[in-house]
Amino acid sequence: MSAHQQPVSAFWWLHQWSYLLFVLRELSSVFVAWFVVYLLMLVSAVSAGQGPYEDFLAWSGQGWVLVLNVVALAFVLLHAVTWFALAPRAIVVPRVPPWVVLVAHYLAWAVLSAGVVWVVLR
Amino acid sequence: MKNTPKTITMQVTRFRPGEDEAPVVQSYEVPLRKEWAVLDGLNHIKDHLDGTLSYRWSCRMGICGSCGMTVNGKPQLSCATFLTDYAPGPVRVEPLRNFPVIRDLVVDISDFMEKLPKVKPWLIHDGEPPEGEFLQTPREMDEYKKYSMCINCMLCYSACPVYALEPEFLGPAAIALGQRYNLDSRDDGAEDRRDVLASAAGVWACTFVGECSTACPKGVDPAGAIQRYKLTAAVSALKDYLLPRGARR
Amino acid sequence: MTAFHNIVVVGGGGAGLRAATAIAEANPLLSVAIVSKVYPMRSHTVSAEGGAAAVIADDDSLDEHAYDTVSGGDWLVEQDAVEAFVREAPTELLRLEHQGCPWSRQPDGRIAVRAFGGMKKKRTWFAADKTGFHLLHTLFQTALSYQDIVRYDEWFVTKLLEDEGGVHGVVAVELATGRIETIIANAVIVCTGGCGRVFPFTTNANIKTGDGMALAHRAGAPLKDMEFVQYHPTGLPFTGILITEATRAEGGWLLNKDGYRYLQDYDLGRPTAEPVLRSMELGPRDRLSQAFMHEHAKGRTIETPYGPIVHLDLRHLGAHVIDTKLPFVRELCSKYQNIDPVKELIPVRPVVHYMMGGIHTDIDGATPVGGLYAAGEVACVSINGANRLGSNSLPELLVFGARAGKAAAEYVRELKTGPRSAVYAQGRDEERRLRHELGKRTEGTERIADIRTEMQTTMEEGAGIYRDGDSLDKAAVKLHELRERFDRAAIDDHSSEFNTELIALLELDFMLDIAQSIVACAGRRTESRGAHQRTDFPKRDDEHFLAHSLVHHSGRVEYLPVTITRWPPGERVYGR
């Protein structure tokens, strides 16, 4: 039997919006990694004293770093939102409707963010 | 309705092994009738225009799972997809994606047939069954009911880019059927299925595209089944790591 | 090429899977193969909707189930077989429950039962309205755990090998490659289901072409009671898709064009708001389909492009009952009729649904041909007689699938000799014939689709719900002509790989045989009984015809008296 193997196009991810979204989410891991690196750079600068910290702030204020961080933020948000969206399907609690699980995730996110804001602006 | 055209063009992908090097598209004009499914159009071609066209079909009521095809780029049951929805046409009919094509619209699903038994999709019960029936409340049945609705039509495999890129992947339907038994109150086989379901080719291959659940014509939600099992697998792996042997389960 | 198995099961639906597992359990040393023209989970058992009857409720009894079945079949029923059937049906359904079948439940977790047509008690187990689907998938998935059962998926059996009065295997074509193989076996169990596709308008799937009946017939087994074709009263117009009897069991009404519950005019009882067992809409299928024909004659049906219809009214049941008990009906109506039964009337008309007749077998599924067994719709034991009751067919295929499997396992154990060389020669002859079919049919003048359509129209006109001597004679002449034209039929496709046109040709060949058997038996039965209604002989005639018709491949028809154990023939009473 000489079956025909259907080739997978190199651009399969452009064929459908859901595929593109999926590839973007996969890509978001790179930006998550970037944020980790950025955080480590910040910690390193802080531990080195006032001067290096100000150098770091100046470096961060450059246009390209700002753009990079804005893009990274967008990807991280995409990651978080899609992650939360699947949570109700992974976490099935008896007698609790799925939307409660979803809302609980967003509430937890809001509470944590508020905590961070409080620490930073205190 | 005066302006409705009386026919529609069906562009059907043909592949005749030994004759065609690669698939070719052949166009047919078929009557456009309100009640006609894409399958009725194919049957018209087969009966009246070209007897050499091959495809699978049987129940024509969306339950046997035979007639999955790619219609205008989407995996569909051709008996449950209607020509008028594609008017004025043309409507493109291709074989299901991600499977080898045996002939025309007939794909080789033996890969799935080999994977299915691996998830042990049968009830495993420790000890003898009861004299009468197992008691199972409607609520307990709801736990697994939707996963038991799978008709093995393969639309989910066709929609899944992971399966396209990683043929080792067990795939949405097989995992959902494993979960169907794991979540059945009468079943004790979850441990027996774990090695296969929690493997790299099992749930961990899935990156949650979610298209399997969109494509599913029976509302099975295999994507949900997979994500749910990831959590189960992670928790039991953690338990194995943290708890002494006797306390596991 | 040649393969060998102790037992070959032809057909992988409910009966075939049950037979195969019964063999594996009876004797694990036997090699069992299932040869099926579709993957087993595509088999037509999948389309059964309403349920499976078996006594389980406290207020029910085996005798009542047996009496309902015997009277429902208008006494053309083997009563010893019915007694075995009602006794073993609960065990079989429980066995499925233990294998995971999601039977619908009562709130306390016990099995729920629903009413069904012609049944005096609620005894129909159900899995919402996808009972056949769940039953088949449970059987199939369970069968996957039997690693010794060999499957030939998508292999089409073209011939049973027969020598010295015994069957010794099959010849089959692998669809994917066109490979032809002789499969030698000590016994063959035919489980290929019915033949609804002989008619133009049927609930049956495309694969229901009577293959097994024709195969067995050609191998020397007589067909029994072939004149009894069941019309289900409620099919969707155009598609013929079944709307389950469970709609009426849950309380649905049949209305004519004036919105009148017309069944009250046909000795089926008085209309009540709540459904009453064995009454009105819960009468037997033959009587309901016949009532439709009378309404039509009175001009009280509604004309549509797809024939006359009446209405099935479920609106008063409400969305909750429909969604929990009849979700598939709602899905089918929405998809194929573009209506919502919660708010709208469902158009329905009688549709060919089930073959009461089939391969003549005894109570263990054995045919008169040595080593040949049959079970399920393809067989005729007969527990269904002249009219099958709804929800008896699923337990039937389990009970008699298991019995045939055990009997075949026993038969091969006692068998001393293997097949003679003549059997292998037959295999080679059949292979030559098939290659010839593929090659020679290039020049023909007839299209198989045309012959098939004409055969179907002939059957509907000549051997429909009501027949008479004249219509049957005409049908016989026409079928003879079609058989001759079939020899001149051409096919476009001469390739090996997945040649569905060749399969359609072979199926048509089988169907023409079956159609001729139906007409031959119907012509000779000059009485009216159950689903066989002769306008020229409107009365039941127990003196001459309390007997099964047996048609041989030569065309000879003989009669076999009915076995009566405890229920002497009486009047069929519904609604009073």
Side-chain angles (χ1 to χ4, degrees):
Chain A
M1 191 169 68
S2 49
H4 170 69
Q5 301 291 334
Q6 299 188 76
V8 181
S9 152
F11 298 101
W12 62 270
W13 45 278
L14 286 175
H15 291 175
Q16 218 164 299
W17 166 240
S18 58
Y19 292 170
L20 181 63
L21 193 69
F22 155 68
V23 167
L24 290 177
R25 188 176 65 235
E26 293 292 290
L27 198 62
S28 67
S29 56
V30 174
F31 294 95
V32 172
W34 159 247
F35 268 168
V36 173
V37 170
Y38 185 75
L39 183 67
L40 289 175
M41 284 163 66
L42 170 69
V43 170
S44 155
V46 168
S47 65
Q50 187 73 18
Y53 176 61
E54 274 167 16
D55 290 348
F56 178 77
L57 285 184
W59 178 81
S60 298
Q62 295 176 87
W64 73 271
V65 180
L66 269 178
V67 170
L68 176 63
N69 277 339
V70 168
V71 172
L73 178 65
F75 271 99
V76 169
L77 283 176
L78 172 74
H79 196 103
V81 168
T82 51
W83 179 259
F84 285 4
L86 86 82
R89 289 159 86 178
I91 306 169
V92 177
V93 191
R95 285 181 275 283
V96 174
W99 66 266
V100 174
V101 176
L102 184 66
V103 168
H105 273 76
Y106 276 99
L107 277 179
W109 188 18
V111 168
L112 280 172
S113 302
V116 171
V117 168
W118 180 74
V119 169
V120 171
L121 298 182
R122 187 160 53 118
Chain B
M1 297 299 253
K2 251 181 268 169
N3 297 326
T4 316
K6 291 214 162 44
T7 63
I8 187 166
T9 305
M10 294 182 78
Q11 297 175 339
V12 183
T13 301
R14 304 293 310 271
F15 173 71
R16 286 149 293 200
E19 206 174 312
D20 300 322
E21 280 297 307
V24 292
V25 176
Q26 199 164 340
S27 291
Y28 303 93
E29 285 290 307
V30 304
L32 179 61
R33 304 217 171 105
K34 181 165 65 98
E35 297 82 359
W36 274 26
V38 169
L39 177 63
D40 293 301
L42 293 173
N43 285 341
H44 179 83
I45 296 170
K46 177 100 187 156
D47 286 351
H48 302 293
L49 306 177
D50 184 352
T52 67
L53 180 65
S54 273
Y55 49 95
R56 292 188 181 104
W57 73 287
S58 183
C59 77
R60 56 82 182 82
M61 57 192 279
I63 192 79
C64 78
S66 305
C67 69
M69 296 169 197
T70 308
V71 182
N72 273 14
K74 293 242 189 268
Q76 302 276 11
L77 294 178
S78 60
C79 73
T81 308
F82 294 86
L83 286 175
T84 46
D85 293 339
Y86 300 96
V91 50
R92 269 184 301 119
V93 185
E94 301 163 83
L96 281 182
R97 300 213 171 111
N98 303 344
F99 295 97
V101 180
I102 297 174
R103 156 89 184 258
D104 296 342
L105 301 169
V106 179
V107 295
D108 181 2
I109 62 163
S110 48
D111 180 56
F112 168 75
M113 297 303 286
E114 279 158 28
K115 282 172 179 162
L116 181 60
K118 292 187 183 158
V119 303
K120 300 197 166 95
W122 50 80
L123 199 87
I124 299 170
H125 181 72
D126 296 342
E128 287 296 304
E131 185 90 348
E133 71 266 49
F134 285 106
L135 293 182
Q136 182 170 71
T137 63
R139 182 165 274 154
E140 285 171 320
M141 188 183 290
D142 283 343
E143 278 291 300
Y144 68 89
K145 182 103 204 191
K146 73 175 166 187
Y147 304 131
S148 76
M149 294 296 183
C150 172
I151 62 172
N152 303 174
C153 65
M154 302 290 103
L155 300 196
C156 55
Y157 284 73
S158 187
C160 174
V162 176
Y163 183 63
L165 301 168
E166 254 182 88
E168 294 298 302
F169 180 38
L170 268 182
I175 296 175
L177 282 165
Q179 268 292 65
R180 172 250 174 276
Y181 285 96
N182 280 347
L183 297 171
D184 190 321
S185 59
R186 299 168 286 186
D187 184 86
D188 302 314
E191 269 308 300
D192 294 339
R193 296 186 192 97
R194 193 169 135 193
D195 281 351
V196 170
L197 289 178
S199 68
V203 291
W204 299 116
C206 168
T207 46
F208 198 65
V209 184
E211 272 304 288
C212 52
S213 294
T214 312
C216 179
K218 296 286 142 184
V220 173
D221 190 17
I226 295 171
Q227 305 326 306
R228 198 170 164 186
Y229 193 77
K230 282 181 183 169
L231 193 65
T232 310
V235 169
S236 34
L238 203 63
K239 274 189 193 160
D240 280 0
Y241 188 70
L242 295 175
L243 297 178
R245 261 193 170 278
R248 285 178 204 167
R249 263 189 85 98
Chain C
M1 281 193 56
T2 307
F4 172 82
H5 299 283
N6 293 112
I7 302 175
V8 162
V9 180
V10 184
L17 290 167
R18 184 64 190 94
T21 49
I23 297 162
E25 280 167 19
N27 185 352
L29 297 176
L30 294 178
S31 154
V32 191
I34 298 176
V35 184
S36 171
K37 68 175 174 177
V38 291
Y39 283 100
M41 69 280 186
R42 315 286 190 222
S43 307
H44 187 53
T45 306
V46 83
S47 297
E49 296 175 24
V55 172
I56 188 172
D58 295 335
D59 67 339
D60 200 359
S61 70
L62 297 180
D63 279 3
E64 286 173 285
H65 188 188
Y67 178 78
D68 286 342
T69 303
V70 171
S71 59
D74 217 349
W75 275 271
L76 192 71
V77 170
E78 292 300 281
Q79 295 187 3
D80 54 344
V82 169
E83 289 186 64
F85 163 69
V86 298
R87 196 171 55 238
E88 291 165 28
T91 319
E92 286 294 331
L93 298 193
L94 270 178
R95 184 188 152 90
L96 267 179
E97 198 280 326
H98 295 159
Q99 292 171 344
C101 185
W103 296 113
S104 291
R105 305 287 176 152
Q106 303 175 42
D108 65 0
R110 289 185 303 138
I111 298 288
V113 284
R114 66 166 35 134
F116 235 71
M119 301 277 189
K120 190 68 186 163
K121 290 281 163 62
K122 287 190 180 185
R123 64 169 71 96
T124 297
W125 304 32
F126 59 103
D129 53 357
K130 286 189 180 176
T131 311
F133 163 78
H134 286 299
L135 184 145
L136 180 68
H137 279 254
T138 304
L139 282 171
F140 174 62
Q141 289 164 4
T142 304
L144 291 176
S145 70
Y146 292 75
Q147 284 159 6
D148 296 333
I149 297 175
V150 178
R151 291 205 326 268
Y152 292 73
D153 293 339
E154 297 194 320
W155 284 68
F156 185 84
V157 173
T158 66
K159 185 182 172 63
L160 302 183
L161 299 170
E162 192 266 337
D163 182 40
E164 293 186 316
V167 161
H168 299 280
V170 305
V171 175
V173 185
E174 185 182 38
L175 267 62
T177 60
R179 183 159 66 111
I180 302 166
E181 189 149 307
T182 297
I183 306 173
I184 299 290
N186 302 126
V188 173
I189 309 178
V190 178
C191 303
T192 58
C195 58
R197 287 276 156 177
V198 169
F199 287 82
F201 187 62
T202 176
T203 60
N204 283 195
N206 181 47
I207 54 174
K208 298 289 85 174
T209 48
D211 309 347
M213 292 178 192
L215 286 168
H217 208 203
R218 291 173 183 188
L223 301 181
K224 184 158 79 186
D225 294 342
M226 292 297 283
E227 61 273 43
F228 297 96
V229 179
Q230 178 165 80
Y231 279 74
H232 194 290
T234 57
L236 291 181
F238 179 63
T239 57
I241 288 172
L242 172 70
I243 297 301
T244 170
E245 193 162 305
T247 52
R248 287 171 278 129
E250 297 299 336
W253 298 328
L254 281 171
L255 308 176
N256 68 12
K257 74 170 186 184
D258 306 317
Y260 172 72
R261 288 175 71 184
Y262 61 90
L263 293 177
Q264 59 189 287
D265 296 353
Y266 300 97
D267 193 24
L268 283 158
R270 306 299 311 161
T272 49
E274 291 299 311
V276 174
L277 293 154
R278 273 179 79 113
S279 172
M280 288 295 289
E281 282 84 0
L282 286 179
R285 291 173 178 172
D286 56 338
R287 296 278 298 275
L288 264 60
S289 292
Q290 289 151 22
F292 172 93
M293 296 299 279
H294 291 291
E295 279 300 285
H296 180 55
K298 291 176 190 163
R300 303 203 299 202
T301 54
I302 302 155
E303 287 306 321
T304 75
Y306 302 106
I309 56 124
V310 289
H311 281 131
L312 176 62
D313 187 357
L314 307 185
R315 296 172 301 179
H316 54 287
L317 303 183
H320 178 71
V321 167
I322 291 176
D323 285 343
T324 52
K325 302 275 186 66
L326 307 164
F328 195 35
V329 167
R330 195 172 184 185
E331 183 186 326
L332 290 169
C333 285
S334 148
K335 188 135 256 173
Y336 294 96
Q337 212 66 44
N338 213 6
I339 56 162
D340 181 0
V342 172
K343 297 188 212 105
E344 290 160 284
L345 298 168
I346 309 171
V348 290
R349 54 176 294 220
V351 52
V352 169
H353 181 56
Y354 185 85
M355 190 64 189
M356 268 72 74
I359 305 166
H360 170 47
T361 75
D362 68 10
I363 197 165
D364 289 316
T367 73
V369 179
L372 181 61
Y373 297 78
E377 188 174 345
V378 76
C380 180
V381 180
S382 163
I383 64 153
N384 299 312
N387 172 64
R388 177 176 69 80
L389 291 189
S391 76
N392 265 354
S393 68
L394 292 178
E396 179 191 2
L397 60 81
L398 296 169
V399 167
F400 291 99
R403 279 179 159 259
K406 286 175 204 155
E410 190 64 18
Y411 173 85
V412 300
R413 196 173 65 89
E414 289 169 2
L415 201 66
K416 294 285 179 284
T417 55
R420 300 188 311 153
S421 58
V423 170
Y424 294 90
Q426 266 185 43
R428 289 191 294 273
D429 285 348
E430 175 66 1
E431 185 168 343
R432 264 192 295 277
R433 179 184 79 94
L434 291 170
R435 298 214 182 284
H436 188 61
E437 288 287 6
L438 199 58
K440 82 163 183 190
R441 288 183 183 269
T442 46
E443 305 279 303
T445 47
E446 300 278 353
R447 280 195 81 81
I448 49 178
D450 295 339
I451 298 174
R452 188 171 58 215
T453 305
E454 283 185 50
M455 171 196 69
Q456 292 168 336
T457 317
T458 304
M459 293 305 285
E460 184 66 36
E461 284 169 3
I465 296 178
Y466 282 99
R467 313 103 184 240
D468 60 41
D470 188 42
S471 75
L472 289 162
D473 286 346
K474 279 188 194 146
V477 171
K478 181 74 182 174
L479 288 173
H480 187 72
E481 177 209 314
L482 290 172
R483 176 48 85 183
E484 285 179 350
R485 283 169 55 191
F486 175 78
D487 292 335
R488 302 194 298 274
I491 50 175
D492 300 337
D493 192 347
H494 304 280
S495 62
S496 305
E497 290 88 356
F498 227 99
N499 186 336
T500 49
E501 199 183 22
L502 175 68
I503 300 303
L505 178 92
L506 298 170
E507 288 173 338
L508 178 59
D509 187 10
F510 289 154
M511 284 195 286
L512 285 168
D513 270 21
I514 301 304
Q516 286 183 311
S517 298
I518 293 172
V519 168
C521 292
R524 281 172 182 75
R525 185 176 285 274
T526 49
E527 66 153 357
S528 289
R529 181 188 298 272
H532 173 71
Q533 292 291 315
R534 292 275 303 246
T535 51
D536 46 353
F537 296 95
K539 290 251 177 318
R540 191 172 92 184
D541 178 1
D542 284 345
E543 196 184 325
H544 298 100
F545 288 108
L546 190 59
H548 303 290
S549 31
L550 293 181
V551 58
H552 296 265
H553 198 238
S554 62
R556 184 169 60 91
V557 179
E558 58 178 332
Y559 291 90
L560 185 72
V562 166
T563 307
I564 292 176
T565 57
R566 295 163 57 197
W567 298 279
E571 191 196 353
R572 291 173 81 198
V573 178
Y574 293 99
R576 63 184 154 91

